[in-house]
Amino acid sequence: MRLTALLLACALPVAAGAADIRVLSSAAVAPGLSRIADQYRKDTKNRLRVQYANPQQLERRLGSGETADVLIASPGLMNDQLRRNKIEPDQHVFLGRAGIGVAIRVGAADPDIATLDRFKQTLLTADSIVYSQPGPGVYLEKLFELLGIGEQLKAKTTRYSAASQVLEHVSGGKGVEIGFATIPEIRQFDGKGVKLAGPLPEQIQSSTTYSAGVMTEAADADVAREFIQYLGTPPAKAIFTAAGFD
């Protein structure tokens, strides 16, 4: 970690004076971005002022004219902002891809999710299924219907509005609770009574990519561009990888 910090510190020049960078970000990248924010402040003295929101909230806020220095979002929203000339087209960096994982309580038996058939059987025999809506639940509900198990799971499904609530539910459970969240969100709960049982089987995995761009109405575009460059360095990408992003 010391080597990573040193490489990050050498990647870009330190700003002459501390600056605040306003970031409007998808909540899904918080597990990686929070670590980046800490390291970035140590290296440059600049501070990230991050506001997290789910995709629907981000879309509404941007639609109402809200702006920031940097936007971090999934492709659909990012491309929409590019078309509207709200993002500088040449100041854009890929951050990572987050897949959906299966979360269980620490101490509970590991579920068998190695194949699609075993995954289905695990869900059918679980005491409860837990996921966030919006979030992975949007995809999962369609998936369960396609797999022919939607009706069987409805009565034992609990939905929350945030991944943290899902994982708290799993950690406090007493039976066979199967929780779903993105892999970075599950890894953020390491040491809090939850563990990652594994990703969804490959043939049904759904991943979301995230990227960062400088907004055209940035208060200090030069500092925002430096931060985007910082995010593109190999050590910064390694921080996102360690947080569970591909």
Side-chain angles (χ1 to χ4, degrees), residues 149-225:
I149 58 175
E151 284 299 320
Q152 295 106 305
L153 299 185
K154 281 183 179 178
K156 59 181 180 182
T157 296
T158 301
R159 300 169 183 82
Y160 289 102
S161 61
S164 59
Q165 295 171 301
V166 172
L167 299 171
E168 286 166 2
H169 179 114
V170 171
S171 69
K174 296 181 180 179
V176 180
E177 287 83 22
I178 300 294
F180 293 95
T182 68
I183 291 172
E185 288 168 335
I186 297 172
R187 287 190 173 172
Q188 198 172 29
F189 263 67
D190 284 348
K192 299 179 182 178
V194 174
K195 71 174 182 177
L196 174 66
L200 293 186
E202 184 176 357
Q203 62 266 53
I204 58 170
Q205 179 60 276
S206 174
S207 298
T208 303
T209 60
Y210 295 94
S211 59
V214 176
M215 300 198 75
T216 53
E217 296 181 24
D220 191 335
D222 288 338
V223 175
R225 292 174 192 131

Side-chain angles (χ1 to χ4, degrees), residues 12-85:
L12 293 169
V14 177
D20 285 349
I21 301 174
R22 296 172 302 134
V23 181
L24 190 55
S25 173
S26 170
V29 305
L33 188 59
S34 60
R35 301 180 191 182
I36 288 287
D38 290 340
Q39 189 61 52
Y40 181 69
R41 184 170 184 175
K42 291 176 184 176
D43 294 342
T44 68
K45 310 305 180 185
N46 295 336
R47 295 161 296 206
L48 299 187
R49 302 298 189 188
V50 186
Q51 293 189 41
Y52 293 108
N54 66 40
Q56 292 82 358
Q57 292 168 335
L58 273 181
E59 187 172 7
R60 286 197 298 269
R61 292 170 67 167
L62 290 166
S64 68
E66 184 171 346
T67 188
D69 299 312
V70 172
L71 174 66
I72 298 176
S74 55
L77 187 55
M78 189 65 74
N79 289 337
D80 179 67
Q81 295 302 298
L82 281 166
R83 286 193 297 270
R84 295 172 184 270
N85 296 318

Side-chain angles (χ1 to χ4, degrees), residues 5 7-8 10 12 15 21-22 37 39 58 86 120 144 146 160 194 200 228-229 241:
L7 291 172
L8 280 168
C10 295
L12 293 169
I21 301 174
R22 296 172 302 134
Q39 189 61 52
L58 273 181
K86 298 295 185 180
K120 288 171 59 177
F144 297 157
L146 288 172
Y160 289 102
V194 174
L200 293 186
I228 291 294
Q229 293 174 28
T241 300

